[in-house]
Every structure is written in C-alpha cells, then in structure tokens.
Amino acid sequence: MAKVAFLLADGFEDSEMTNPYEALKEAGHEAVIVGFEQGLECKGKKGAVYTTDLAVEDVKATDFDGVVIPGGGAPEALRVNEDLIAFVKEINQQSKLIAGICHGPQVMISADVLQGKDATCYIGIRDDVKLAGANFKDEEVVVSANLITSRTPKDEPAFIREILAKLG
C-alpha cells in the first residue's frame, strides 16, 4: 500500500481534506498529515480540525509515494515554506503522485512542477496556473503524467477516483 503526505495548514477547505484522506485510508493506504510543525492543530474553513503527524522539515520524498494538497486558504500559507517546496520538487523529480484540488496547485506553481503539463484548478488561480507553464483545462479532473488536479469540492469524486487509480 502507498504512503501519501497530505500537506496541511490552517484555512484548508474541509471536504477537500476529509474526503480524499478518508478514501485513501479506507483503501488501505497510509495517509500522513504534514505541516509546519509536528502535533500542530490545523483548522479548516468550516470547522474541521486535523493534527499534523510530521513537520515538513522532517520528511523525505523517498519515504512517500505521493502528496495530496487540499485547497482553501492553506496552499497560500504552505507555498512560502522552503522545506515544503523542496519536498514537493523532490516528489516530482521521482515522478511520484502530486494531487492538488482547488487552490492546491498554488503549491505546484511555487514548486515549478506545472511547466508543460495539463492542469485545472479553482478559476481564481487559472491565470497563475497558465503563467506557470501549464495547459489549463476547465475539467473536473485532469491527469497529466504524475499530476492530478481538480477544481472545486463538487469535483472530489473524480479527484479521489484518479488518486486511487494512480496509487493502484
């Protein structure tokens, strides 16, 4: 079974964390919440609370099979952390899964992993995704090499389906 890092900070979109997280665990995968500090409480926009399992400075890409980046306000905070961006870059260099929904691709932009790939996202960051070199597609889910992207909570079933398919 796969070991997947969920990158989390305050302000995440609750369902975009909860639904993929629970689906991966139900499928037998190991879901590890990674944030700025170990044991940090992260609060969602609608009240969900998760505690980080590991600090990003303590994780290695070789220990994981991929990352999931829930949307909401969290990606804006996550993208300025150098350790987190280095981790995502290493995951990409190893051609492992990077899945981002809604604002999640903001982290992908900062890690410079979108160049030449197809991607979708929340409409408000569409231009940023294009400027990062991606071919923007307004579709519920876009799979491009090791990247999986989706737009909004209504796209979660397709997002989850493709993550599970990629992890096998």
Side-chain angles (χ1 to χ4, degrees), residues 2-137:
K3 183 176 181 181
V4 179
F6 278 75
L7 306 182
L8 210 61
D10 280 339
F12 61 89
E13 181 64 50
D14 298 42
S15 67
E16 293 172 356
M17 170 60 190
T18 302
N19 294 333
Y21 181 76
E22 294 301 328
L24 265 67
K25 290 196 326 187
E26 271 179 37
H29 300 293
E30 185 179 354
V32 180
I33 302 171
V34 175
F36 298 132
E37 297 171 34
Q38 184 175 3
L40 186 68
E41 256 192 15
C42 297
K43 295 174 181 67
K45 289 169 38 176
K46 296 180 175 80
V49 177
Y50 286 90
T51 302
T52 56
D53 298 311
L54 294 170
V56 68
E57 64 194 25
D58 298 329
V59 297
K60 292 189 215 60
T62 52
D63 294 338
F64 289 87
D65 299 297
V67 299
V68 174
I69 313 162
E76 186 72 29
L78 294 168
R79 73 188 299 191
V80 298
N81 182 286
E82 290 178 24
D83 291 326
L84 188 128
I85 294 305
F87 175 65
V88 173
K89 283 183 179 195
E90 287 173 35
I91 289 281
N92 189 60
Q93 287 162 357
Q94 296 170 22
S95 300
K96 294 177 180 176
L97 168 72
I98 303 174
I101 185 168
C102 193
H103 285 80
Q106 287 179 309
V107 173
M108 297 175 176
I109 291 166
S110 294
D112 196 25
V113 300
L114 290 176
Q115 187 69 44
K117 303 273 178 66
D118 293 338
T120 194
C121 59
Y122 174 70
I123 196 74
I125 62 166
R126 173 193 60 199
D127 294 341
D128 305 289
V129 164
K130 288 179 180 178
L131 289 169
N135 174 32
F136 175 79
K137 295 183 171 223

